[in-house]
Each structure stands twice: as C-alpha cells, then as structure tokens.
Amino acid sequence: MLLLPDYDPNDCEAGMRLLEDLTTNADQIQKQVLKEILHRNSHTEYLRGFLNDNDEHDDDDEEEVFKNKVPVINYEDTIPYIQRIANGEPSQIISAQPITELLTSSGTSGGQPKMMPSTAEDLDRKTFFYNMLVPVMNKYVDGLDQGKGMYLLFIKPEICTPSGLMARPVLTSYYKSKNFQNRPFNRFNVYTSPDETILCPDSKQSMYSQLLCGLVQRDEVLRVGAVFSSAFLRAIKFLEDHWKELCTNIRSGHVSDWITDPSCRKAVSIILNEPNPELADLIEQECGDGKSWEGIIKRIWPRTKYIEVIVTGSMAQYIPTLEFYSGGLPLVSTMYASSECYFGINIKPLCKPCDVSYTLLPNMAYFEFLPVKKNNGGGELSQDQVHCNGGGGDKEEIMETVNLVNLKLGHYYELVVTTFTGLYRYRVGDILMVTAFHNNAPQFRFVHRRNVVLSIDTDKTNEEDLLKALTQAKLVIEPLGFLLTEYTSYADTSSIPGHYVLIWELKMKGSNGLLPELDTFIMEQCCSTMEESLDSVYRRCRKKDNSIGPLEIRVVTRGTFDALMDLCVSQGSSVNQYKTPRCIKSEEAINLLNSKVVGRFFSQKTPFWEPFRIETSK
C-alpha cells in the first residue's frame, strides 16, 4: 500500500478502514518504510559510513543488515551533522531530500534546544497524521461537524541559521506552513480562532484575541482545548484575569486598543462585528467576582462535548485542576508526537486519562524498541545500561532492539526511530509500556522521559541539569557558612502557572546544627541563581512564554530528610539501597516535607533569555 495514502478526512468511514489496514499490515508496512528510507538515503554521507553497495542481502534480511551495521545513537551523535547543515553544507550529509528547516525540541543538549531535520514531505506526513484523528473522534462523538473547536494555538520564537534555514518548534513550523494555512475545508475541524490570531507573534495579544473570538462564538463551540494541559490552564487563568475587559469589548463591539497587531486586530474585528450586551451580561454573570469557577468551561461553552489536551507524561499533574474547571467534560488526549517524528494516536479517545494508550502508525517512521528493566529501587535501566554495568563489551554490539510487532504485553521499552528526514536508529528518550494490541499494532502507555525529573510546560530538566544549577546556588551561601546537607524537588502545579520547588535542608558550620535566621535577600539570590543556571527552554518559558512561575526554595528543619527516608522505607524501599530521590511525586512525601518548612523564598527576577544562536563554522 502507499506509505502516505491520500484520503478525504470528511469521509470518516474511509478513514477508519485506512486505520484498520495500517494496523493489520503493520509488519509489512514497517519493512516497506525501512526499505524506502534506505533506498532514498543510502548514498548520504552518514549511511555510507556504515553501509556500502557491496553488502549482499535479500529484501527479507534488509532489516538485519541495517541493525547489524548502523548503530543506535543519542542526540549528541547527530550534533556534528546538524551543525554542518545549519552552517550551509548540503542536506545530502544525512538526507537525499532537501532539509527545509530545523525543528527545535523541548529537550536540551548543552543548555540549548535540540534541533531535528525536517523536509517538505514531512509536512504532508503530519497533515496525514492530523487527518487520521478526525475519523477516530467522529466514531466516538456525534455531531462534531455541527459546530467549531475553540483550540488555543500559539507560535514560539524562531531563528534563521547561517544557512538560511529556519530553526523553530515543530508546532510553529506547522502553523506557519502552507499545509495549515491553505488546508482544504474539513467540516470536522473548523476553529473559532482565525489563523491571524494563531500566527500573532505577541503571545498576550494572541491569547486575548483567541479567547475573545471563542467567547463571541460560544454557541457554536463543540470542543475546547490546546496542545498541552498547561497551555489550556494558562488560558483559563488569563480569562480569570481579563474577563471584565473581554466583556467590555463584547458589549461595545470594539477590540481593546492594545491589540495592535494589524492582521490580528482586523480578523478579530470581523468576528466581533457589532455590540452584544446580552452576551457580555451572561459572561459577567458566570465569571462574576466571588463566584466559584468550578465547571466554568461547561457554563460558558454549554455545547462543549470534551476538552482536548495532552494529559500523559508530565501533563498528568494537571488532571485534577482540569477536572475542577471542566464541569465533568471528558479529557481527551488524542496524539503522541515529538519534534523527531509524529508517532501515534489514541483510538479510544474517551477513555479515562489514566488509561490513555497510543497506537503507533506504522507508516510514520521505522520503529525499534530497547527493552527496559525495572531495578530493585523501582527505577528503569535500559538494556545497554544493564549489560555495560554487568561487565563490559562493545556498547554498540549489545544494543539489541525489538521490532514493532514483536513486543510483549506489559513490558517496558525505550523508543528508537529511523525517520524519512535523516535520523537513523535515534533514541527518542521516551519510556513506554505495552498495554494492548490493535490488530497487529501494539498500543503504548507513555511512562516518562528518560532522566527527566522536573517539567511544568515544555521544559524538561534532568537530574544533571538540576545539580548544576544547585551547585551555582551553593556558591552564594557557602561563603556565609551554610552547608546544604540534602535536597529534593517537585513541580508545584497547585497554582497557574506552575513552578519548581526545591526543598533544602541546611546547617551552619560550627553551630551544632542550629540554623540561624535566614537572610531573605540571600535566599532569593539563590533562587535567581538557579534559574539563570537552568537551560534555555526553562528560561524561555519563564521570561518569554510566562508559562512557568518563579522558582521557590523551601528550607526545612534538621532531620526532615531522615523522616523522608523512614517514610520511603515504610512503603517498601530497601534501607540498604535507599538514595534520596531528587524529585518527589508522592503526595504523602510532599505533605511530609511541607510540614517541616521553616522558610519560603522565591526568585524576584526573571532569568536572562534570548533565542539561541547557531555557532558558525570557523
């Protein structure tokens, strides 16, 4: 079958038949995908370093030759090739098709966003992927063609590399593409937000304008959402802060003067059209001062059938808050994707958030999986780590992967992808668990990102980066005689936006453990120093996006971390193998730590941030 079949998303029956074909023939399609990728790119500099024309093999063992010759890699292995392309060398280094842009991921390397190659055809692949979501939702929810979606979509900062290629986040790339802006009419995906409001570079103007359009068209709204739960909740908080001004605009039929982006202002004015005092009164009644905002989504947009946001991985921490505002509406997590590749869709979208699984579409990329084992402490060790720790051997030789159709139910795996755009046997860093099979395609629950300990929005802070930031903060207090004896952290999402909380246990040199009164200015300086030391994505979220609140340090009494160990041991941890967790997720443990707090301090300034720069070749 065609790897990128053309079909009309308005024909939902045809879409479901196509999904059945894809999942039934998953193995054959995977072989076809790899064959096509290798056929296209075999003469690239990268693959020529591992494969050559003298390799004799039948089509049946093409996979084995590929796996035996081409190593499994991390992002650091791709940096030299990506850097060369960013600096102007030809795409043929890694891709036969021209690389048209570089997609910046929310993961980081050396403090900067990772960059992934992309091609014009890849936009068509993403469009196909989005179209596949339509028949699935239509199967479970009736009448989606009888109204609009209030989806809050935003673009992020981008830069131009020395080669002239743009480097930008994957969603910014898609919203700015012809595939999105010139998309054929699809009656199941009509938005309340004009494209001009989505493409507005000022995030505050964009948010205000999209909410205003969504309020004016409230009677047509059948579904609401954003890509991430955090972004949707920021929109609700924004509405809570600006509903009076929004009502004034609706009552007068005039957009606020501070909406100065010309295209955005014109598009909103067309929708606002004329004064509507009745609607303004209704919204004021629902949002009025002192009134609970519980169930506000259903009250303002009464025809809404569900909220579409990602609720897996780090976004799961927002589920209770979403449920508070939702008024009982289902939380629908439709897709699993990244900057490297779009992976899979949720074919049972109305399931509970805790039951969300994704079915990987076998025509998106060539998928492999590294088995992951649980260690005694409850953490995960990838297969290569298990073998290397056990006594050596060539690391490349022991990276044994499993194919998409040969996975085992209930087992854990790390995802490895080979893409059409120039990534070969690339470790994505996502840990997945097989929950079921749909026809011959496995379904996965997203467990977590490898090594990530803290995340609020698109930031992903690992333990090493956290320790580096902490080390810089210690330089502020150690000259004053303070010693940081223990620490941990957690992502506090009880307020919007959420923020990082660091729990510190301190002692004073030569004071028998007694802690003097803490200087607020010094501790606030520690908070700011940590923020300045965290990576570019975190600092962008803090300064540009306002999607993360000020970092907080909570100082606890002496002996608090001994009590934490006692709690963990009482719940089954081995006292001999216990190590202080650097990120706490247990509500009971968080409550214990917070009961011992003697001082709370926040960063008083936003960290420095500017769009990252590409190093030019010497």
Side-chain angles (χ1 to χ4, degrees):
M1 64 181 297
L2 292 173
L3 291 181
L4 209 58
D6 187 22
Y7 86 100
D8 181 1
N10 292 296
D11 186 346
C12 291
E13 289 186 9
M16 292 307 297
R17 286 196 302 270
L18 178 55
L19 180 61
E20 291 300 298
D21 289 343
L22 288 171
T23 53
T24 298
N25 301 303
D27 190 35
Q28 300 94 306
I29 293 170
Q30 279 284 277
K31 287 182 169 64
Q32 188 180 348
V33 164
L34 181 60
K35 183 180 181 66
E36 178 65 24
I37 291 173
L38 295 180
H39 175 74
R40 290 184 187 183
N41 300 319
S42 60
H43 295 292
T44 59
E45 177 184 322
Y46 184 84
L47 284 180
R48 281 205 320 270
F50 305 104
L51 304 173
N52 60 68
D53 295 335
N54 296 325
D55 288 329
E56 295 183 3
H57 58 81
D58 299 324
D59 288 348
D60 291 341
D61 64 4
E62 189 167 33
E63 283 181 296
E64 289 307 310
V65 172
F66 175 68
K67 289 182 177 183
N68 289 333
K69 298 262 187 174
V70 180
V72 174
I73 61 170
N74 292 298
Y75 178 70
E76 287 69 25
D77 301 302
T78 73
I79 291 176
Y81 301 94
I82 300 295
Q83 196 80 50
R84 288 166 59 190
I85 290 169
N87 285 328
E89 292 194 46
S91 302
Q92 281 77 8
I93 293 172
I94 58 174
S95 170
Q97 289 190 330
I99 291 171
T100 53
E101 61 185 339
L102 298 170
L103 304 179
T104 56
S105 76
S106 54
T108 60
S109 179
Q112 298 292 359
K114 296 177 182 178
M115 292 189 296
M116 304 298 167
S118 186
T119 64
E121 183 196 64
D122 208 42
L123 286 168
D124 296 335
R125 196 168 287 108
K126 291 180 174 72
T127 298
F128 170 86
F129 184 93
Y130 285 124
N131 286 341
M132 286 303 301
L133 300 174
V134 175
V136 174
M137 286 308 309
N138 188 64
K139 176 182 176 181
Y140 287 91
V141 183
D142 293 330
L144 291 179
D145 57 340
Q146 303 302 311
K148 298 182 179 182
M150 190 188 76
Y151 290 138
L152 302 161
L153 309 174
F154 306 93
I155 61 171
K156 301 281 187 181
E158 56 190 349
I159 68 162
C160 184
T161 69
S163 66
L165 294 178
M166 296 305 298
R168 51 194 171 198
V170 61
L171 292 173
T172 298
S173 159
Y174 191 73
Y175 300 149
K176 287 196 165 188
S177 72
K178 293 180 180 178
N179 293 58
F180 179 76
Q181 295 183 47
N182 298 334
R183 58 196 181 277
F185 174 75
N186 176 352
R187 65 182 185 273
F188 294 101
N189 276 334
V190 181
Y191 302 136
T192 58
S193 295
D195 289 357
E196 293 85 352
T197 63
I198 296 170
L199 297 172
C200 177
D202 185 305
S203 58
K204 184 176 180 181
Q205 291 190 51
S206 176
M207 177 77 84
Y208 188 92
S209 299
Q210 291 191 62
L211 280 172
L212 183 56
C213 291
L215 289 169
V216 171
Q217 300 171 84
R218 73 182 287 269
D219 291 332
E220 300 178 73
V221 172
L222 297 181
R223 53 206 184 279
V224 301
V227 177
F228 296 108
S229 298
S230 55
F232 185 73
L233 288 174
R234 284 202 311 278
I236 300 305
K237 179 65 166 58
F238 192 94
L239 177 62
E240 199 166 354
D241 293 339
H242 294 84
W243 64 265
K244 291 182 180 178
E245 183 180 358
L246 288 160
C247 286
T248 299
N249 288 182
I250 294 169
R251 178 170 283 107
S252 67
H254 176 77
V255 185
S256 292
D257 292 339
W258 64 271
I259 304 298
T260 55
D261 182 278
S263 298
C264 182
R265 186 175 184 85
K266 180 179 178 181
V268 176
S269 296
I270 291 172
I271 289 176
L272 192 56
N273 192 20
E274 61 184 7
N276 191 340
E278 294 82 8
L279 176 58
D281 290 344
L282 187 149
I283 295 169
E284 284 184 343
Q285 183 179 347
E286 295 298 342
C287 301
D289 293 328
K291 192 167 185 178
S292 171
W293 274 53
E294 184 172 4
I296 193 69
I297 303 299
K298 189 68 174 173
R299 286 168 20 212
I300 292 183
W301 294 280
R303 295 183 63 200
T304 302
K305 297 173 182 286
Y306 59 87
I307 299 175
E308 184 175 337
V309 286
I310 292 174
V311 292
T312 51
S314 63
M315 292 296 132
Q317 61 193 324
Y318 295 104
I319 291 173
T321 310
L322 286 167
E323 289 176 337
F324 173 82
Y325 289 120
S326 71
L329 291 168
L331 303 178
V332 173
S333 193
T334 58
M335 58 183 280
Y336 169 38
S338 76
S339 302
E340 293 89 341
C341 176
Y342 279 26
F343 302 124
I345 63 177
N346 180 5
I347 63 173
K348 294 182 179 178
L350 296 186
C351 66
K352 294 179 180 179
C354 60
D355 295 328
V356 170
S357 291
Y358 300 104
T359 304
L360 266 60
L361 299 182
N363 62 332
M364 290 291 104
Y366 180 70
F367 300 115
E368 299 174 73
F369 300 84
L370 284 168
V372 171
K373 297 180 180 179
K374 291 281 186 179
N375 64 23
N376 292 333
E380 282 80 24
L381 286 174
S382 292
Q383 183 190 44
D384 60 308
Q385 295 171 306
V386 173
H387 284 249
C388 287
N389 290 343
D394 185 346
K395 185 175 180 180
E396 290 183 5
E397 290 180 0
I398 60 176
M399 298 289 259
E400 298 176 1
T401 61
V402 183
N403 289 352
L404 179 69
V405 297
N406 295 327
L407 303 179
K408 296 180 180 179
L409 190 66
H411 284 226
Y412 293 79
Y413 300 90
E414 181 185 345
L415 180 60
V416 176
V417 297
T418 296
T419 70
F420 288 92
T421 58
L423 296 176
Y424 305 97
R425 308 198 79 197
Y426 176 90
R427 296 176 70 170
V428 175
D430 290 352
I431 307 300
L432 311 175
M433 187 188 81
V434 181
T435 57
F437 286 83
H438 182 74
N439 296 322
N440 294 313
Q443 297 174 302
F444 299 91
R445 177 170 65 86
F446 181 94
V447 181
H448 59 72
R449 287 282 296 173
R450 187 182 57 175
N451 299 329
V452 170
V453 295
L454 285 173
S455 180
I456 294 289
D457 188 47
T458 56
D459 55 303
K460 295 180 176 69
T461 298
N462 61 37
E463 188 170 328
E464 181 182 2
D465 290 339
L466 187 64
L467 178 59
K468 287 178 181 177
L470 193 80
T471 301
Q472 293 302 308
K474 285 166 64 178
L475 297 177
V476 176
I477 57 169
E478 285 180 345
L480 303 176
F482 288 97
L483 293 176
L484 176 60
T485 59
E486 269 294 9
Y487 75 94
T488 189
S489 64
Y490 73 93
D492 186 342
T493 57
S494 60
S495 59
I496 303 169
H499 67 288
Y500 287 9
V501 174
L502 276 295
I503 308 291
W504 284 14
E505 187 172 323
L506 297 168
K507 76 174 184 179
M508 196 73 178
K509 294 177 183 177
S511 63
N512 297 320
L514 297 176
L515 193 65
E517 184 176 349
L518 297 167
D519 184 292
T520 299
F521 176 78
I522 294 297
M523 293 306 298
E524 289 173 350
Q525 189 177 348
C526 288
C527 296
S528 297
T529 299
M530 286 201 69
E531 290 201 304
E532 292 288 356
S533 304
L534 291 171
D535 65 42
S536 173
V537 176
Y538 174 91
R539 288 182 281 115
R540 187 204 73 209
C541 289
R542 271 282 283 128
K543 186 176 181 68
K544 172 70 175 177
D545 301 345
N546 297 314
S547 59
I548 299 179
L551 181 143
E552 178 185 4
I553 292 175
R554 298 181 186 176
V555 179
V556 295
T557 58
R558 185 183 181 188
T560 295
F561 280 82
D562 292 334
L564 177 63
M565 182 182 71
D566 292 342
L567 174 64
C568 293
V569 169
S570 73
Q571 295 176 339
S573 294
S574 166
V575 67
N576 294 320
Q577 294 179 317
Y578 176 81
K579 293 188 300 182
T580 301
R582 295 313 177 197
C583 182
I584 297 289
K585 292 184 170 61
S586 159
E587 186 174 345
E588 186 175 359
I590 290 172
N591 289 339
L592 168 66
L593 294 169
N594 284 334
S595 70
K596 307 288 187 179
V597 170
V598 294
R600 298 179 61 181
F601 309 93
F602 292 85
S603 175
Q604 295 300 309
K605 60 181 181 179
T606 55
F608 172 79
W609 175 84
E610 65 179 8
F612 69 96
R613 302 181 185 278
I614 305 294
E615 292 183 8
T616 56
S617 52
K618 303 292 185 183

